[in-house]
Amino acid sequence: MKKTGKKIVTVQEAFEVWFEEYVDVNTRTNTQKSYRGMIEKHIFPRLGNMEMKKLNARILQKFINEKSKILKRSSLSKLLAIMRSCFSYAVNPCEFCRSNPAENVWLPRDMEELGRTVHVFSPQDVAAIEEQYPPEHDYYMALHICYYTGLRIGEALGLRWQDVNLEKHELTVTGTMLENGLRQSMPKTRSSYRTIPYGTQLQLLFQREWLRQRTVRQSIGNRRYNKGDYVCCRLESGKQICAPDFRFFNAWCKKQLGGGSTHSLRHTHATMLLEAGETMDAVSKRLGHSSIAITAKYYSHVTEKGKLKMRATLDNLFPPGNIRG
């Protein structure tokens, strides 16, 4: 809807206009889905029927303060950003209100920015996964790509053979597989577009899978086998695999390992690199994070281990008992 033709415009109507004219045009599918979920769950039930002209900063500040009791800081920050963007559009070009009521609304100061808890697989967990999902399983390649590279599951499933440089032992993330089975040519963020090296173990898996797919395609005489030329596909049919298919893997992890998911493979990879001495900056770029601050939030547990190790080193270098006085 372009204009309501009414003098009274509700918050919900303003959001629908913003979504149609701006969000649907300028953002990616996953972003649209994420925005829509937050708006319908948090904003519409509380503010949807309110008139835009009656909305003010005080009302929105109380709303944010209430939400701070149930949402994490990252989610609350995202919610406020959505409102600021929508109401800015409501001012200009829509002229639904004279000023942006969210402009002077802030997150509560008492909300501490804590490190995020991540699930990391132990060596025993990895061995159990190897046993449950052997090379003959459809999920095998995708799981190992996530484990050996730290890619998101959507990025691993969206990987095509043209993105893998077998000579240089490098792969380039150029897109991601969406939940609906469509490949999005642009990754999650600009920093998600990246070229990263990989090791010999994954090189052997790539070479074996490339040969397997070539052999199957020739044996069945079907050029349509794995038409998208994806690195990860169903072994027999060649059909693509989508992230929702891994709900079975996630459920198995929770039941057999006490927790974890495909994303835990990414966390495990990053943790192993950091514990092996790689810098936070290098790991951040490898993971495709937009900033090193995001990486630090996720892997603060490694930083804490580093502090303990440093204390032990300091005690060895400067043993107690040498202070006089």
Side-chain angles (χ1 to χ4, degrees), residues 20-233:
E20 179 181 341
E21 298 179 0
Y22 180 80
V23 178
D24 284 343
V25 177
N26 297 291
T27 63
R28 293 183 282 271
T29 304
N30 280 357
T31 301
Q32 295 165 17
K33 184 178 179 181
S34 175
Y35 281 12
R36 177 66 71 177
M38 294 204 76
I39 292 168
E40 293 183 349
K41 182 176 181 179
H42 298 289
I43 298 176
F44 284 174
R46 180 74 166 73
L47 306 170
N49 293 327
M50 184 170 293
E51 295 178 24
M52 278 298 305
K53 290 184 177 180
K54 293 184 179 180
L55 197 63
N56 57 48
R58 186 179 182 186
I59 293 174
L60 293 182
Q61 188 64 67
K62 288 183 177 180
F63 172 72
I64 287 295
N65 291 346
E66 291 173 3
K67 291 298 179 180
S68 69
K69 299 175 182 178
I70 60 174
L71 293 177
K72 294 181 179 179
R73 187 179 182 87
S74 58
S75 298
L76 193 68
S77 178
K78 181 178 179 180
L79 186 64
L80 180 55
I82 289 173
M83 291 196 299
R84 283 176 176 168
S85 180
C86 173
F87 296 150
S88 175
Y89 194 81
V91 175
N92 187 11
C94 295
E95 298 182 352
F96 294 153
C97 52
R98 293 183 179 181
S99 61
N100 186 341
E103 193 64 35
N104 294 315
V105 176
W106 308 99
L107 300 183
R109 290 185 178 181
D110 60 350
M111 289 192 71
E112 298 182 4
E113 188 65 82
L114 300 177
R116 301 184 182 185
T117 302
V118 298
H119 188 98
V120 177
F121 289 128
S122 68
Q124 293 75 21
D125 292 338
V126 175
I129 293 172
E130 290 275 359
E131 183 177 354
Q132 180 68 21
Y133 297 92
E136 299 77 23
H137 199 285
D138 287 340
Y139 296 172
Y140 182 82
M141 277 302 297
L143 294 177
H144 281 74
I145 290 173
C146 292
Y147 178 60
Y148 286 129
T149 67
L151 263 63
R152 304 173 178 93
I153 186 62
E155 294 173 336
L157 297 176
L159 202 64
R160 302 162 301 181
W161 284 113
Q162 68 190 63
D163 302 320
V164 180
N165 190 323
L166 293 174
E167 293 183 0
K168 293 185 177 181
H169 291 209
E170 293 179 344
L171 62 84
T172 301
V173 179
T174 63
T176 186
M177 187 68 70
L178 302 178
E179 292 183 0
N180 58 8
L182 297 177
R183 185 181 188 276
Q184 184 173 274
S185 58
M186 290 296 292
K188 184 178 180 181
T189 63
R190 290 183 179 180
S191 55
S192 295
Y193 187 99
R194 61 201 187 277
T195 297
I196 61 173
Y198 60 82
T200 303
Q201 186 66 22
L202 185 56
Q203 171 76 352
L204 295 175
L205 295 183
F206 277 145
Q207 291 175 332
R208 185 177 68 185
E209 180 60 15
W210 184 85
L211 181 60
R212 187 199 68 78
Q213 290 186 20
R214 181 184 179 185
T215 301
V216 172
R217 187 178 287 113
Q218 291 177 343
S219 64
I220 65 178
N222 185 359
R223 294 182 179 180
R224 295 184 63 83
Y225 179 87
N226 191 11
K227 185 179 179 180
D229 204 29
Y230 293 110
V231 175
C232 304
C233 69

